[in-house]
Amino acid sequence: TSPITEQPGGKPPNDPPKNMTNFALIIQDMQHDVIGEQGAFAETGAPAHAAGQNVIANVARLADAARGAGVPVIHVHYIVEKGSVGLKPNAPLFQGVVDTNALVRGSWGAAPVEGVEPVDGDHVVEKMRMNGFYETRLDILLRGLGVDSLVISGCYTNMSIEHTARHGADAGYTITVVSDGTSTTSDEWQHAALSYAMTNVGRVLTVDEVIAEL
């Protein structure tokens, strides 16, 4: 039989993977410039989509549940130095960061949005690419924590979330993406990421479904 469990456009399988044991919750790119109404990328529609998804409150509730269950909470933040020094603008997204002077270390735009700030005991990982794993300490941190299953939340679903999920699956982690704990710039892109891109990469569950498993 084919290893492909769904055809393109189908939903990813949501049965619990047999090898799921130790979770970590990833909260990615939930920063003012990414989803804030006054942020650098506000004109993309991201703030409105985040509000429609209720993503801040949903991720905050998920993070509280994870902490209560002893599950590591890891915040992945996109951080660049002033002037975007060292950020190669070889793709439109990176060029956009440069052009808007976004996500500069120490700025309001780079800070996490209210409600999902790191708390004592959480971990913070910085990145300069879409993928939360690429040239960061995320993988070595997860291995040190004994994690083999990732619950991924945050923004944007069809970019950073998708990149991180694919890399995580390739690296041997079991992947769950949170449908109402992620947002992007429109429902169309959200649907494309969750119903197409995640097929055969991982599961797509709601916040309530993840909390029930935790």
Side-chain angles (χ1 to χ4, degrees):
T1 59
S2 169
I4 304 300
T5 54
E6 289 286 348
Q7 295 299 313
K11 292 183 178 180
N14 285 332
D15 294 332
K18 292 184 175 64
N19 65 334
M20 178 175 289
T21 54
N22 296 319
F23 288 96
L25 172 64
I26 306 295
I27 301 174
Q28 187 159 258
D29 294 2
M30 293 193 68
Q31 298 159 265
H32 288 296
D33 272 342
V34 179
I35 57 172
E37 291 184 359
Q38 305 300 319
F41 303 132
E43 293 183 0
T44 66
H49 194 258
Q53 287 283 100
N54 198 31
V55 70
I56 295 174
N58 287 343
V59 171
R61 184 162 63 90
L62 180 56
D64 285 343
R67 295 178 188 114
V71 170
V73 176
I74 303 172
H75 304 257
V76 179
H77 292 161
Y78 198 122
I79 301 292
V80 300
E81 305 305 329
K82 186 176 181 180
S84 301
V85 175
L87 175 60
K88 185 175 182 179
N90 59 296
L93 183 141
F94 305 132
Q95 186 64 58
V97 173
V98 174
D99 291 345
T100 58
N101 194 34
L103 299 163
V104 175
R105 183 183 303 280
S107 70
W108 171 86
V113 296
E114 289 78 7
V116 292
E117 304 95 334
V119 303
D120 288 345
D122 289 358
H123 306 269
V124 177
V125 172
E126 295 183 0
K127 64 169 187 168
M128 290 179 65
R129 300 275 100 176
M130 287 178 266
N131 179 353
F133 282 97
Y134 186 75
E135 297 295 327
T136 75
R137 69 185 188 99
L138 180 58
D139 186 61
I140 194 66
L141 174 62
L142 292 169
R143 295 183 188 280
L145 293 170
V147 168
D148 57 25
S149 300
L150 303 183
V151 175
I152 304 177
S153 65
C155 312
Y156 295 142
T157 319
N158 59 307
M159 287 185 272
S160 293
I161 301 301
E162 183 180 333
H163 277 59
T164 300
R166 289 183 182 278
H167 186 124
D170 280 343
Y173 296 96
T174 299
I175 302 298
T176 299
V177 174
V178 189
S179 59
D180 52 352
T182 51
S183 69
T184 179
T185 57
S186 69
D187 286 339
E188 181 181 10
W189 278 117
Q190 183 81 357
H191 173 67
L194 297 183
S195 299
Y196 287 80
M198 286 299 99
T199 302
N200 298 299
V201 173
R203 303 183 303 162
V204 176
L205 299 182
T206 66
V207 167
D208 287 339
E209 288 170 333
V210 173
I211 289 175
E213 290 196 356
L214 296 181

